[in-house]
Amino acid sequence: MIGIDDEKFIRGKAPMTKQEIRILTLAKARIGESDFVADIGAGTGSLSIEAARLAERGYVFAIDRDESAIDVITQNAEKFSVDNIIIIHAEAPAGLISVPRIDVALIGGSGGRMREILTSIDKKMKPGGRIVINCVTVQSLYACLEWLKSNENYRYDAIQVNITRLQQVGDYDMAKALNPIHIVTARKIQLKRVANVINMSDAIFKENAETGKKGKREPGNLSTC
Amino acid sequence: MIGIDDEKFIRGKAPMTKQEIRILTLAKARIGESDFVADIGAGTGSLSIEAARLAERGYVFAIDRDESAIDVITQNAEKFSVDNIIIIHAEAPAGLISVPRIDVALIGGSGGRMREILTSIDKKMKPGGRIVINCVTVQSLYACLEWLKSNENYRYDAIQVNITRLQQVGDYDMAKALNPIHIVTARKIQLKRVANVINMSDAIFKENAETGKKGKREPGNLSTC
Amino acid sequence: MIGIDDEKFIRGKAPMTKQEIRILTLAKARIGESDFVADIGAGTGSLSIEAARLAERGYVFAIDRDESAIDVITQNAEKFSVDNIIIIHAEAPAGLISVPRIDVALIGGSGGRMREILTSIDKKMKPGGRIVINCVTVQSLYACLEWLKSNENYRYDAIQVNITRLQQVGDYDMAKALNPIHIVTARKIQLKRVANVINMSDAIFKENAETGKKGKREPGNLSTC
Amino acid sequence: MIGIDDEKFIRGKAPMTKQEIRILTLAKARIGESDFVADIGAGTGSLSIEAARLAERGYVFAIDRDESAIDVITQNAEKFSVDNIIIIHAEAPAGLISVPRIDVALIGGSGGRMREILTSIDKKMKPGGRIVINCVTVQSLYACLEWLKSNENYRYDAIQVNITRLQQVGDYDMAKALNPIHIVTARKIQLKRVANVINMSDAIFKENAETGKKGKREPGNLSTC
């Protein structure tokens, strides 16, 4: 099941995706057990780790530009004993180059480059795949919606989530707000005729994922760290 | 995975637990695949059906006092081909009499009897079990928190969830609020020494659940409908 | 005081600015008693009427493109006996042509032309004046913020307001959400050297406003309706 | 007008009623210019000061049990040059003893004694008067609603307010939530026959308020500090 308690993660300086937002993001992403998932702006890696447990026979590509984030993701991957996360220390969208074709993309941070990231993700995204984007600024939300509106291969829905936690103070339960967040869920349309092209790096991955025993995969020549 | 789209359910007159609230409720409930789950105030059965898919080797006891709700649950169980829901047409807490020991309880509606329902649930609840309560009124939230505060065997956390959906109107995305809801999650403490008592009806159920083939269970003498 | 109860207004088909949003909008606008106020997308006129009571020695220019809105504003102005509202049946920004220099602008609806409307308002806006914008779509909020960011004469702050009303149902208080709204408040900077230009129609208005007795003003040659 | 910017107030350790909540509270209170207002749990005095500017020919009785709050209120009253605030250093409801008959009561903090405070306020409250209560805990909201439901002389409405501020971070506007708050507004019913009783201390006050010149009032034998 999804929804690891926030305090179980090793946390760095970066803000972490809170449990409730993680739960909704992962549920909206509908990750299958053999899926390939890209997590852009992975931060503490909390989403990556939960995604990796769902895609137990797939891979999660956790991308972050910040070195301290990479450290924290590595520590969390170890703590939770997930061995199917490939950690990529690079800025998006450049960091997507080494990622094979994917079933799901999660965007937790876009560093102001939402459009370019979405365009790069689209090239890797299989028909029927899903992109789930968490937006905390008006500008990233707008950029994301505009990209989706102008791209006829995608359908989307979007919600804003305001979570308030009731903090127990003596005999009282006091309302403490978390910052609201928008979650945009886009689905790439399953086209009637799918081009019969084999992407080599994808094929290699798929083979590893399907035939390899767990914990004994060779993810190939990816620029991991 | 959890989070069936709202429009996939057959809906009656009663309000349905919306997708996002269902996702959070189920994730907080941490239903195991052999769990016994009681769903009190089951309504359309949307939570029951998702719970039944998670507890694939367990049972869900869907209780509702309203006959039209019972009809809708039955139709939804058929539509989604889940055969491990036992539908109980009764008012809570009376409807809980025929329920064996449970791992999880979901409370979607209390009909003003929150305290009695929680007391009855407690008697059936295994140590380590979880109760997840959705409250839409100040009074049911208060009653639920007071019961939990006065019962030393439980620890809880509580959140309020405000979901706003962005409705696509031409080129615009317009904010449309869903009604907010409180989700209270209580865990029964795992006591150090657990009394060595066997509850007969529970034992019968457990046997059915563990040895019986799926789709070929005899749930015994329950007042189902 | 501000905050007329919603049900006291005559309402048309258009959605009305709810009491709490009206209160916050008017308080943020800091309307003075001799102010000239433009209300763009006036709708039912609820904001115009409250603004007119605050600017008791000034004028409110209520602009709407929709004929039925014009009817409802007229009826409400009559019902609340405010005689300092000038109702302009025109689309914005064109409808702003006949408006003199203003101290305050309220934007309740932009019909997708936020940038043009803000540019037109700016030409009429006195240094030190305020614009308060209510946004219900991501796109109008974004356009409004971008315009303000690119215009160095303005400082702004912005909030999102989620109001939930507790509806009394028997002994219970049930949470019913209103749709959330963004309120952006912009202040035009008071420049050190103010150009010494007299706008004639403004001068005429000002004279009327300052010397005229209440209920005996001639607002001149405006295209009112 | 109402809605002094938060940063203009001298602030102590206690949390201050944020601008938007102050605006809504004051608008719902409908304070008249000769009104007597009690502010229970006055904290920094931000509500008291704005109330005192509205009730310019009346008085505000600011009550707080915390000595440091009393200091901050005193400083703020001086800073904003309001001379019609009477500061009472006492716990509520005891602190209400020295308060004459009132038109409006504001409750910002109840210290767990909501019912007693409301009962004491009721004794001082004129028919037609208003009580506006800000609640941050489930328990104070519940206590307040229960008291109002059981008291046939009052009608109420209640809202929950979630404010999110958009913080400008470089080119971005980032959502930052304030803690949600419930605002309950109660009106004491105007009875058909009002008892013709003169409350002496009230009469003395009223006389001071009506005949006294501003800045030259003798509020009598109140236990002020």
Side-chain angles (χ1 to χ4, degrees), chain C residues 34-185:
Chain C
S34 299
D35 277 359
F36 280 27
V37 179
D39 181 10
I40 290 109
T44 56
S46 62
L47 271 172
S48 289
I49 278 150
E50 299 228 45
R53 296 189 343 170
L54 294 169
E56 52 184 333
R57 295 207 302 271
Y59 286 94
V60 173
F61 303 87
I63 302 171
D64 208 289
R65 64 181 175 187
D66 180 23
E67 191 162 345
S68 66
I70 297 297
D71 286 347
V72 174
I73 301 168
T74 309
Q75 290 172 47
N76 275 316
E78 208 161 295
K79 177 171 180 187
F80 289 95
S81 304
V82 287
D83 58 3
N84 56 336
I85 294 182
I86 292 167
I87 301 168
I88 300 173
H89 183 190
E91 188 142 2
L96 282 159
I97 293 171
S98 57
V99 171
R101 292 190 85 203
I102 52 177
D103 303 278
V104 170
L106 310 173
I107 307 181
S110 64
R113 307 183 69 177
M114 185 62 80
R115 285 177 192 82
E116 301 92 302
I117 291 172
L118 285 169
T119 300
S120 293
I121 284 174
D122 179 44
K123 287 177 188 145
K124 305 283 180 152
M125 182 59 65
K126 296 181 195 162
R130 297 171 87 85
I131 312 174
V132 186
I133 307 128
N134 291 352
C135 302
V136 297
T137 72
V138 178
Q139 286 74 22
S140 61
L141 173 63
Y142 175 81
C144 161
L145 295 176
E146 289 309 289
W147 190 92
L148 290 168
K149 280 175 193 300
S150 68
N151 196 314
E152 58 177 14
N153 291 329
Y154 287 87
R155 297 288 174 272
Y156 72 90
D157 62 72
I159 58 170
Q160 185 181 26
V161 185
N162 275 272
I163 301 285
T164 296
R165 289 188 176 161
L166 295 190
Q167 189 181 318
Q168 292 163 49
V169 182
D171 292 338
Y172 296 91
D173 294 271
M174 194 173 289
K176 295 283 174 189
L178 301 185
N179 291 328
I181 206 159
H182 280 89
I183 301 179
V184 181
T185 307

Side-chain angles (χ1 to χ4, degrees), chain B residues 123-142:
Chain B
K123 287 177 188 146
K124 305 282 181 153
M125 181 61 65
K126 295 180 196 163
R130 298 171 86 86
I131 312 174
V132 186
I133 307 128
N134 291 353
C135 302
V136 296
T137 72
V138 177
Q139 287 73 23
S140 61
L141 174 63
Y142 175 80

Side-chain angles (χ1 to χ4, degrees), chain A residues 1 3 5 19-20 23-24 26-28 30 145 149 156 158-160 162-164 166 168 171 173, chain B residues 1 3 5 19-20 23-24 26-28 30 145 149 156 158-164 166 168 171 173:
Chain A
M1 271 301 289
D5 289 332
Q19 190 210 38
E20 289 84 2
I23 288 169
L24 288 169
L26 292 163
K28 298 259 182 190
R30 296 191 177 166
L145 295 176
K149 280 176 191 301
Y156 72 89
I159 59 170
Q160 185 181 26
N162 276 272
I163 300 284
T164 296
L166 296 189
Q168 293 163 48
D171 292 339
D173 295 271
Chain B
M1 273 299 292
D5 289 331
Q19 190 212 37
E20 290 84 2
I23 288 170
L24 288 169
L26 291 163
K28 298 260 181 190
R30 296 191 178 166
L145 294 176
K149 279 176 192 301
Y156 72 90
I159 58 171
Q160 185 182 27
V161 185
N162 275 272
I163 301 285
T164 297
L166 295 190
Q168 294 164 47
D171 292 339
D173 295 270

Side-chain angles (χ1 to χ4, degrees), chain B residues 145-159:
Chain B
L145 294 176
E146 289 310 288
W147 189 92
L148 288 168
K149 279 176 192 301
S150 68
N151 196 316
E152 58 175 15
N153 291 329
Y154 287 88
R155 298 289 173 273
Y156 72 90
D157 60 74
I159 58 171

Side-chain angles (χ1 to χ4, degrees), chain B residues 51-68:
Chain B
R53 295 188 347 168
L54 293 169
E56 51 184 334
R57 296 208 299 272
Y59 287 94
V60 173
F61 302 86
I63 303 172
D64 209 288
R65 65 181 173 187
D66 180 22
E67 190 163 344
S68 66

Side-chain angles (χ1 to χ4, degrees), chain D residues 45-67:
Chain D
S46 61
L47 270 173
S48 288
I49 278 151
E50 299 228 43
R53 297 193 339 173
L54 293 169
E56 53 184 332
R57 294 207 303 272
Y59 286 96
V60 173
F61 302 87
I63 303 171
D64 208 289
R65 64 180 175 187
D66 180 23
E67 191 163 344

